[in-house]
Amino acid sequence: MSTLYRGGSFTTWGDEPVTALVVQDGRVVHHGEAATDEVVELAGRAVVPGFVDSHTHLVFGGDRTEEFEARLSGSPYAAGGIRSTVAATRETDDDSLLRRALHLAAEARRSGTTTLETKSGYGLTVRDERRSLRVARLVTPHTTFLGAHVPDEPGYVDLVAGEMLEACAPLATAIDAFCETGAFDVDECRTVLLAGQAAGLDVHVHANQLGPGPGVQLAAELGALSADHCTHLSDGDVAALRDAEVVATLVPVAEFSTRSPYAPARRLLDAGVTVALATDCNPGTSFTTSMPFVIALACRELGMSPLEAVFAATAGGAAALGLEDVGHLNVGARADFVVLEAPSPTWLAYRPGVDLVHRVVKDGA
Ligand code: NIG
Ligand code: FE
């Protein structure tokens, strides 16, 4: 079965303008007109690659409505709030965790996300981290072990880097650690991340979110795929990301929801760092699955142009996950794309909060 999509305004991230594309067996097989089994007329609508949300925490119990309300009346966000979700997650059975995570993933798909990563990190025992990742694997193939989210019992780092990693590594493609005051220091994060790397996992770091710190430099030292958050960066941090080719994954809804300063996207882009945009969907700091909202915020608050933001939400996310066949629509790519009820991708920022998704195509379907 082959399908010709034509009459749209295509953003592919290729060098040549594209006026039509052909999809077959879940891939983009040709740019331009061709004889196919089926023709879809796009009537001038914009087409962009499916969004790649490279940073989410979808496996959790409970919610944090009251903490959010308290923040709106002035309470600051601190890493310790994570513990209330840990308690709720431990009390939630696997089926309920899965139902919630699938619901959020379906919500993400409706808003144009065709690839997503998700993490453990609200279990923090061998049993609860392992079952969190078992649930995560039923949602997406891109799963990250975040046992080093907040410290639990004494000796916790050794547990994470030892028995917990051993139990979780077969269910994960990557490892992450929260390098922050109130979470783990740089030596603890290095211990955990090196152990994960030795087990064959890709590395991400929750870095420089709540204040300046060593997380970004650690990501560069370890050759991580991404440093995530990057809210508080020195010039040396920006240079380290550029020189080590670590993707800076920015999650502006976390700043929106915690009423914090936004990440310095302009400094990163102007220095030549690859930037990804992600939702960071989680019940504490960023309870959204909407990449269109992230894009709108990135344009308004981070100083990104609409095309820079859409690139970061697609090709940037793919780079953060080490994936080559998503995030663009060149020949050979997965046929993952979003048809917008809009003449250009700029409308994602120009019409904030409006559902502009006309159709989501994933693996050609
Ligand atoms: O990415 N920074 C650490 N982890 C999450 C927040 C977790 C929570 O508050 O539940 C984040 O923002
Ligand atoms: Fe996060």
Side-chain angles (χ1 to χ4, degrees), residues 305-345:
S305 73
L307 277 189
E308 283 172 337
V310 175
F311 187 83
T314 54
L321 295 180
L323 301 174
E324 291 183 351
D325 61 351
V326 298
H328 64 90
L329 292 172
N330 295 315
V331 171
R334 281 181 188 273
D336 292 357
F337 55 86
V338 189
V339 181
L340 297 172
E341 198 55 75
S344 88

Side-chain angles (χ1 to χ4, degrees), residues 2 12-13 31 38 43 55 57 61 69 72 75 98 109 133 147 150-151 155 158 165 269 288 306 328 330:
S2 57
T12 62
W13 308 130
H31 283 169
E38 181 190 29
H55 181 147
H57 309 242
E69 284 171 349
L72 292 181
S75 305
L98 179 61
R109 174 67 59 81
L133 283 165
V150 282
D158 291 338
L165 173 65
L269 288 165
T288 186
H328 64 90
N330 295 315

Side-chain angles (χ1 to χ4, degrees), residues 21-38:
L21 56 81
V22 177
V23 168
Q24 191 169 12
D25 299 329
R27 300 265 164 185
V28 176
V29 295
H30 178 72
H31 283 169
E33 300 274 336
T36 53
D37 302 316
E38 181 190 29

Side-chain angles (χ1 to χ4, degrees), residues 103-189:
H103 176 84
L104 292 169
E107 192 179 90
R109 174 67 59 81
R110 287 196 298 277
S111 66
T113 297
T114 50
T115 300
L116 81 84
E117 177 272 5
T118 200
K119 301 172 206 305
S120 66
Y122 291 118
L124 310 189
T125 62
V126 174
R127 174 179 173 274
D128 291 302
E129 283 296 295
R130 192 171 155 79
R131 71 192 187 93
S132 296
L133 283 165
R134 244 191 268 117
V135 167
R137 285 261 288 218
L138 297 171
V139 176
T140 175
H142 311 291
T143 55
T144 303
F145 168 49
L146 179 59
H149 201 182
V150 282
D152 200 50
E153 57 204 68
Y156 186 67
V157 171
D158 291 338
L159 177 72
V160 175
E163 188 189 340
M164 196 183 284
L165 173 65
E166 205 175 306
C168 290
L171 299 169
T173 51
I175 188 162
D176 193 344
F178 187 14
C179 191
E180 199 78 48
T181 305
F184 297 91
D185 69 26
V186 67
D187 293 327
E188 294 171 324
C189 290

Side-chain angles (χ1 to χ4, degrees), residues 55 57 64 67 77 79 81-82 85 122 149 178 206 209 229 254 280 282-285:
H55 181 147
H57 309 242
R64 309 240 290 274
E67 181 189 312
Y77 174 77
I82 294 169
T85 299
Y122 291 118
H149 201 182
F178 187 14
H206 272 74
Q209 175 186 4
H229 286 273
D280 191 18
N282 76 81
T285 60

